[in-house]
């Protein structure tokens, strides 16, 4: 099964991707994580992507479409995958169609902007293994230390308040039109993000089986 998780930055797509991943045993493909790894490794496209990411803008379609195309050819993606953070523009969705990728379902995790701002300001991430936490909603066992690999947790540069505002603006302008794109194909299901992660996860699994 090939799935897309749609939603504003900070809506909890990554967490719901983990839930689906456990349920269906298919990998999550996060273009954001791949780009951050490229920035860290200092690759050519990492260097090109960094300025846009730090400013809360989108990285160019050419770059992300290129990395996605290579990633879905990997052996672990042959029985299906969950796309987290891709597509983010209509041209990216059209590129997926042009690659012949059949999308079975698009699950939108909907969370109002004010809630997103509150969530992102408390988010902490491990730059080493990619695990994410929240100071209030999902704290690490030891403050500032990753439960998974023991490295130091940090605030992502693009989670700073001004950047969050601009990421939300970008989402509404460039990514939200994808809802109409997939609704027209009869593939869109919307899940209302709940206060408790476990409640959202239950609704996601319901949406998956709907
Ligand atoms: P994320 O972790 O999904 O929020 O992604 C972090 C940042 O990476 C975004 O703010 C964008 O700058 C960039 N990015 C990730 N995925 C895409 C995409 N599909 N298209 C363009 N830029 C992306």
């Amino acid at each position: 099964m090939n799935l897309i998780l749609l939603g504003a930055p900070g809506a909890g797509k990554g967490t719901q991707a983990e839930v689906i991943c456990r349920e269906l045993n298919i990998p999550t493909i996060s273009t954001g994580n791949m780009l951050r790894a490229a920035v860290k490794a200092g690759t050519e496209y990492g260097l090109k992507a960094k300025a846009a990411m730090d400013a809360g803008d989108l990285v160019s379609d050419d770059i992300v479409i290129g990395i996605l195309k290579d990633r879905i050819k990997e052996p672990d993606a042959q029985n299906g995958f969950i796309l987290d953070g891709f597509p983010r523009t209509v041209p990216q969705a059209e590129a997926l169609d042009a690659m012949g990728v059949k999308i079975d379902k698009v699950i939108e995790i909907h969370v109002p902007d004010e809630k997103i701002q509150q969530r992102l300001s408390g988010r902490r991430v491990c730059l080493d293994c990619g695990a994410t936490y929240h100071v209030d909603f999902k704290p690490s066992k030891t403050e500032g230390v990753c439960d998974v690999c023991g490295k130091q947790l940090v605030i992502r540069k693009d989670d700073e308040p001004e950047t969050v505002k601009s990421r939300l603006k970008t989402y509404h302008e460039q990514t939200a039109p994808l809802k109409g794109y997939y609704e027209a194909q009869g593939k869109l299901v919307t899940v209302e993000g709940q206060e408790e992660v476990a409640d959202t996860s239950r609704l996601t699994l319901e949406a998956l089986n709907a």
Side-chain angles (χ1 to χ4, degrees), residues 6-7 105-111 171 179-180 183 187-194 200 203-204 206-208 210:
L6 201 60
K105 200 169 270 191
V106 178
I107 301 180
E108 181 211 1
I109 312 290
H110 176 257
V111 175
Y171 175 76
K179 288 191 257 179
E183 197 164 28
K187 291 177 182 164
L188 184 75
V189 193
T190 298
V191 166
E192 285 299 328
Q194 306 292 308
T200 309
L203 295 177
T204 298
E206 276 174 26
L208 195 60

Side-chain angles (χ1 to χ4, degrees), residues 72-118:
I72 60 175
K73 286 185 196 145
E74 299 281 326
D76 69 331
Q78 300 318 304
N79 289 328
F81 46 77
I82 308 155
L83 297 182
D84 167 10
F86 186 99
R88 256 177 158 100
T89 63
V90 171
Q92 290 179 19
E94 289 169 345
L96 264 186
D97 291 342
M99 284 175 220
V101 174
K102 187 184 158 294
I103 297 299
D104 297 288
K105 200 169 270 191
V106 178
I107 301 180
E108 181 211 1
I109 312 290
H110 176 257
V111 175
D113 284 7
E114 312 76 65
K115 279 258 157 63
I116 299 248
Q117 272 156 340
Q118 184 192 358

Side-chain angles (χ1 to χ4, degrees), residues 155-173:
I155 300 178
R156 255 165 61 174
K157 206 163 181 177
D158 54 358
D159 281 347
E160 284 164 12
E162 279 312 303
T163 318
V164 168
K165 264 191 212 155
S166 112
R167 289 169 74 197
L168 283 172
K169 186 164 175 279
T170 303
Y171 175 76
H172 290 297
E173 287 174 359

Side-chain angles (χ1 to χ4, degrees), residues 33 68 93 157 186:
N33 281 349
L68 196 274
K157 206 163 181 177

Side-chain angles (χ1 to χ4, degrees), residues 4 9 56 60-61 64 73 88 101 128 139 142 158 192 205:
I4 292 174
S60 77
D61 285 340
V64 277
K73 286 185 196 145
R88 256 177 158 100
V101 174
D128 211 63
T142 307
D158 54 358
E192 285 299 328
L205 292 176

Side-chain angles (χ1 to χ4, degrees), residues 115-156:
K115 279 258 157 63
I116 299 248
Q117 272 156 340
Q118 184 192 358
R119 284 184 183 186
L120 291 187
S121 61
R123 180 154 81 171
R124 300 292 179 269
V125 298
C126 175
L127 293 183
D128 211 63
C129 75
T132 56
Y133 303 86
H134 191 284
V135 289
D136 299 319
F137 310 128
K138 191 187 169 193
S140 55
K141 290 193 187 97
T142 307
E143 197 185 323
V145 179
C146 180
D147 292 350
V148 181
C149 69
K151 297 275 162 48
Q152 200 189 347
L153 300 180
V154 298
I155 300 178
R156 255 165 61 174

